[in-house]
Amino acid sequence: AGLTQPPSVSKGLGQTATLTCTDDTNTVGNQGAAWLQQHQGHPPKLLSYRNRNRPSEISERFFASRSGNTASLTISRLQPEDEADYFCSTWDSSLNVLVFGGGTKLTVL
Amino acid sequence: QLLLQESGPGLVKPSETLSLTCTVSGASIITKTYYWGWIRQPPGKGLEWIGTINYGGNTYYNPSLKNRLSISIHTSESQVSLSLSSVAATDTAVYYCAMALVVGDLLFWGQGTMVAVSS
């Protein structure tokens, strides 16, 4: 799997941002994609499991979805603290490897 | 609460071996449903998966690092270790350990430790 994410996305405060993660194989379509958020100087935080469920402490403003080999993370009602880097990842069970996308820098204007 | 703490030398010379330890507290390291992973992030760049180990010692390695890499689990010390040989400047990164309930879904992360490779 090779996961492609747009390098940057900019949206206004209170708006909705949709981040995408496109796989050049069927891995995301079969295994799903997890989403992580990383603020500068901090470790990543898991926002969504590959099955699109959220860990208990994650806001419902973060919604993961999938269509074919493209996974998406929709962030509604954007807040200043949402400004961060976002990474997708998937587990390729045929090769037993974890693959990360290159990440998207989200700017909240 | 599960806590992961990475430790190791901040500076390693080229061609030497990098050794890091992840100390786990708040959970049993040999819980059957847990996977322990190592991930690194070069300065200003994205995340790179290094490898994963489960409670039984089964390992999964990044093919690009496999020939230089060893990950082990040390149950009595509640630690997961990483050994990367023949390091070069391209191995300079923040190294994280993380725990997954499902392999590939990295739920808990340590704070990371910066390792520079330089003479």
Side-chain angles (χ1 to χ4, degrees), chain A residues 20-36:
Chain A
T20 59
C21 171
T22 301
D23 185 6
D24 59 4
T25 69
N26 291 327
T27 303
V28 164
N30 293 328
Q31 299 289 332
W35 287 93
L36 304 107

Side-chain angles (χ1 to χ4, degrees), chain B residues 38-55:
Chain B
W38 285 98
I39 304 93
R40 68 182 182 180
Q41 185 171 35
K45 296 190 177 181
L47 301 170
E48 180 182 27
W49 175 69
I50 299 171
T52 296
I53 190 168
N54 73 357
Y55 74 98

